[in-house]
Amino acid sequence: MKLARPIALLPLTSLALTDVNSPTRPITLSKTGGFQIGGKTISSPLNTNQTLSCDHGYMEYFIPWRPRRTSVVMWHSSSTQVWQNRWNGGEGYKDMFLRRDYPVYLWDGPRVGRANWACETTTYVPSHQDQANFGAWNFGPRWPVWWDDVQFPTRDEAAWKHATSARYVEYDTKANVELQSDAAAIAADSGKIGTDIVYLTNSAGGLRAMMTATKANGTNIKGIVTYESIGYVFPDNVNITAGRGGFGPFIVPLERFKKLAKLTAIQFVWGDHRSENFTSVIESRLAAKLINQYGGNAQVLKLSEDAGLKGSTHIPFADMDNAKVAALLDDLLEDNALDEYKDGEAWI
C-alpha cells in the first residue's frame, strides 16, 4: 500500500469558519434546547441533608420547522465537536442532517462533557497522546506519516490542532459502558427524543449504543449506524469470552441480544486501511451475522471496497468528503423507510 509524505504543516492559519461550497438552503428550526436525563441523587456521608445530582446524561436538541419522524442521535467517542464540523471547519453532520429536516440530538453520556458531574471520584492525568491519536484515528500508519490519499487537510496546522483539542476526557471502562448505556436507555424509553431513533456513533460510542438497544424496554430505537466501532455485543450462547476492559466484547443474555435483531437497520461502517483480519472488523462481521441469524437487518459497509470512497479516517463523517459519506447514510435511511416526514409526505 502506498504511503504518503511525512507530515508537513504550514504556519498556523485560521480554521475556516465558512465553507465556500456550503449549501445555500437555510436551516429553519422550530426550537432548540437541552435537558438532563437519567442519573441519581446521592447524600453526603457527613450530612444527609446535603445532596448531589450526578451521573446523568445531557441531550442538546435541534428540531427543524418541518421535521421527519426519525430522530438522529449523534453519539461521540471524543466530543460532540466531531459532529459539528468537518476537519477544516466546513459543514459537519449536525447541520447536514438539519438541512435534511431530521431532528438532531447531540448526546453527552454520564461523566462526559456537559454531563461530567460524577457520583464517584474521577481522576484526570495528562497522557500526552496527540501523536498516538494520529494512528488511532487512522490518519496514517504512524506518526508523522499520512496515508497518501487521506481525507484530511494535511497542510493545515490549524486543522490538526483543532482535531487534537476537540475532545473530552473518556472513561473507557466496563463500568462506564454500563453507566452510559443505562442513561441512554432511559432517554430512549422516555419518548423525549422521539419514537423513531437512529443512533449515529463513532468508535467506542458504537458499543454503548448497542448496549443501550439491549437494555431499552420500548421500541423507540429503530437503528444504529456505527462509524468504526471499537467494541461489540454478543449473546451468551456463543463461545465468546467477555473482555475485561471497556472495549469488550460485552456478553449479554440471548433475549437481550435479540433486541438488536428487532431494529429496522444496523450498519457497521469502516474506512480505509482496515484489513479483514483487524479485530474490530472481524467482530463487526460476526455481530452482524448473529443479529441477522435472529431475523435482524445488519450489514458491514467498507467505504473503500464497497462504496469507492478513498482515504476515509476513523472519523469519516468529519472527513473532507463527508458529503459523500452522508449520501450513503441517506441511502440507508431511505431504503429502510426511515426518511419519512411526520405528515407522511415524501422529501422533495
Side-chain angles (χ1 to χ4, degrees):
M1 185 170 291
K2 184 179 179 183
L3 302 183
R5 59 198 177 280
I7 186 170
L9 298 174
L10 295 178
L12 185 63
T13 57
S14 1
L15 194 64
L17 297 180
T18 58
D19 178 13
V20 293
N21 297 315
S22 62
T24 56
R25 182 176 181 238
I27 298 173
T28 305
L29 303 177
S30 64
K31 60 181 178 179
T32 69
F35 57 87
Q36 296 80 23
I37 195 161
K40 60 184 178 181
T41 300
I42 60 175
S43 298
S44 167
L46 301 177
N47 184 346
T48 57
N49 291 323
Q50 294 179 334
T51 61
L52 174 68
S53 300
C54 48
D55 281 353
H56 53 267
Y58 178 80
M59 191 75 76
E60 183 179 16
Y61 60 83
F62 306 84
I63 310 301
W65 181 257
R66 180 177 173 240
R68 297 178 191 263
R69 285 207 310 266
T70 296
S71 299
V72 175
V73 178
M74 299 184 180
W75 194 331
H76 56 87
S77 65
S78 57
S79 85
T80 54
Q81 180 62 50
V82 296
W83 301 106
Q84 292 174 304
N85 292 101
R86 207 165 51 217
W87 295 124
N88 69 340
E91 186 169 68
Y93 259 36
K94 169 180 159 281
D95 283 0
M96 282 185 176
F97 283 87
L98 285 175
R99 290 187 193 282
R100 291 159 163 81
D101 295 328
Y102 288 96
V104 169
Y105 294 79
L106 300 180
W107 169 246
D108 283 330
R111 305 185 185 180
V112 171
R114 292 167 291 182
N116 68 350
W117 276 22
C119 294
E120 299 175 355
T121 300
T122 61
T123 303
Y124 168 70
V125 178
S127 57
H128 307 93
Q129 64 188 60
D130 286 352
Q131 288 68 38
N133 285 339
F134 182 90
W137 296 343
N138 206 17
F139 292 162
R142 64 188 179 279
W143 172 267
V145 181
W146 299 96
W147 293 118
D148 186 53
D149 52 5
V150 68
Q151 291 287 336
F152 188 95
T154 59
R155 296 187 178 275
D156 186 346
E157 185 176 354
W160 168 246
K161 289 186 177 296
H162 170 74
T164 57
S165 62
R167 54 184 293 115
Y168 303 151
V169 177
E170 295 183 45
Y171 299 97
D172 290 317
T173 64
K174 292 185 70 174
N176 183 265
V177 172
E178 297 287 0
L179 178 67
Q180 291 197 352
S181 54
D182 283 346
I186 292 171
D189 287 338
S190 73
K192 295 186 70 172
I193 53 178
T195 58
D196 295 78
I197 300 166
V198 170
Y199 290 113
L200 299 189
T201 72
N202 174 230
S203 195
L207 168 62
R208 287 158 171 77
M210 292 180 71
M211 286 292 286
T212 298
T214 71
K215 291 179 176 181
N217 294 320
T219 59
N220 292 338
I221 302 173
K222 297 297 190 290
I224 301 173
V225 175
T226 74
Y227 293 100
E228 299 232 333
S229 180
I230 307 299
Y232 291 83
V233 178
F234 297 101
D236 61 2
N237 66 334
V238 294
N239 188 26
I240 296 177
T241 302
R244 295 183 178 181
F247 298 108
F250 273 62
I251 308 301
V252 300
L254 176 60
E255 290 309 308
R256 273 182 56 188
F257 182 83
K258 286 181 178 180
K259 291 183 180 181
L260 292 167
K262 295 180 180 179
L263 303 190
T264 303
I266 297 176
Q267 188 177 70
F268 302 117
V269 184
W270 290 101
D272 279 22
H273 315 294
R274 300 299 196 188
S275 65
E276 281 298 311
N277 63 1
F278 182 57
T279 298
S280 293
V281 172
I282 294 172
E283 290 182 336
S284 69
R285 292 202 181 277
L286 178 57
K289 178 181 177 180
L290 292 171
I291 291 167
N292 294 340
Q293 178 178 311
Y294 293 105
N297 177 24
Q299 61 176 244
V300 176
L301 173 68
K302 299 190 82 172
L303 293 176
S304 178
E305 292 91 329
D306 300 328
L309 300 186
K310 303 295 185 181
S312 299
T313 71
H314 180 58
I315 310 174
F317 49 88
D319 284 348
M320 299 303 291
D321 65 346
N322 65 348
K324 293 179 180 179
V325 180
L328 298 173
L329 179 54
D330 282 333
D331 292 341
L332 178 75
L333 296 171
E334 181 180 356
D335 291 346
N336 291 280
L338 293 170
D339 64 334
E340 297 177 358
Y341 280 83
K342 288 188 175 181
D343 56 20
E345 295 181 13
W347 183 28
I348 299 176

